[in-house]
Amino acid sequence: MKSWLEESILNSHQSMDEDSLGYYLGRGIPSWMVAALKMGVFIPPDTQAPDKDFVNKQGYHGEEVSGWFSIPVWTPSGKILGVEFRNPPVSEKKKVRKFFLPEANWTASFMGMCPEVMQKIADGADIWLAEGIFDLCIAHVIPSKDVALGCGGAKISAPQKEFLKRFLRKGSVVKVVFDEDQTGREHSE
């Protein structure tokens, strides 16, 4: 499933049109991040997905999310962990579908993680934790040596906390910038 998903994501990124790129940029995602994360618009491949869970939720080839924005989730070393699909903004209501490979259960996953970001963390960057992918627009206003990562919601998971403890360099800090709603306030303390 891993190679099928990665190939589908890379093809969707490479085939992205200018309007779709404009959507990502208009939501505040820096162009380097769109490229590094391989964000795109999902194009179902000709081959059937080899994972029953994916097929049950997204269709045999991913046709249920065809034309949806695809936001891959990567490991720090650049291996695919999963993907978040979002329906196009012209649709009636925001819909989000997620698919994660089994290793995501024990691996810390952050929206916005990629080898370039991991290198900055290793070099001593401060980490700005936001909730989701479009909250990473803060990357435009934080110091260029720092990184912005999304937790996937207004909560920092146990594997994410372990990652931060393990890889945060001495002298670096984590800054939690969750939304100013009740959930964000409760989980940012």
Side-chain angles (χ1 to χ4, degrees):
M1 180 64 187
K2 186 182 288 191
S3 61
W4 182 92
L5 184 61
E6 190 164 338
E7 185 178 317
S8 301
I9 292 302
L10 293 176
N11 183 47
S12 297
H13 170 71
Q14 293 165 348
S15 303
M16 185 168 49
D17 65 17
E18 190 175 331
D19 288 341
S20 300
L21 176 59
Y23 174 74
Y24 282 119
L25 299 177
R27 291 292 308 262
I29 302 298
S31 58
W32 71 264
M33 192 179 288
V34 173
L37 297 180
K38 310 292 188 242
M39 297 170 151
V41 174
F42 191 70
I43 300 169
D46 294 332
T47 57
Q48 180 177 329
D51 184 274
K52 286 182 184 178
D53 187 46
F54 185 92
V55 168
N56 288 338
K57 294 177 181 171
Q58 275 48 275
Y60 289 108
H61 305 269
E63 61 272 9
E64 294 296 321
V65 290
S66 178
W68 287 34
F69 290 93
S70 56
I71 303 146
V73 179
W74 303 95
T75 67
S77 62
K79 293 181 174 69
I80 190 86
L81 264 181
V83 62
E84 179 175 295
F85 298 106
R86 289 175 172 254
N87 64 329
V90 295
S91 300
E92 67 289 346
K93 182 180 172 189
K94 176 178 124 177
K95 294 180 186 173
V96 177
R97 292 186 179 187
K98 298 179 182 183
F99 174 79
F100 286 93
L101 296 167
E103 51 263 51
N105 291 326
W106 62 83
T107 303
S109 61
F110 292 95
M111 304 300 285
M113 178 59 78
C114 61
E116 295 90 337
V117 168
M118 187 61 205
Q119 184 58 56
K120 281 185 155 187
I121 293 170
D123 291 342
D126 288 346
I127 301 172
W128 296 67
L129 286 181
E131 291 182 28
I133 189 64
F134 292 117
D135 296 317
L136 298 185
C137 63
I138 63 170
H140 287 292
V141 296
I142 65 175
S144 60
K145 73 165 194 66
D146 292 349
V147 299
L149 295 172
C151 293
K155 184 178 181 190
I156 305 169
S157 70
Q160 289 170 334
K161 288 177 186 176
E162 286 303 313
F163 174 90
L164 296 170
K165 285 180 193 173
R166 181 175 176 194
F167 292 106
L168 191 68
R169 299 286 302 263
K170 188 174 184 173
S172 299
V173 295
V174 174
K175 301 172 183 183
V176 180
V177 289
F178 287 170
D179 293 351
E180 193 52 38
D181 57 16
Q182 181 178 351
T183 306
R185 285 192 308 272
E186 288 172 2
H187 292 285
S188 64
E189 298 172 353

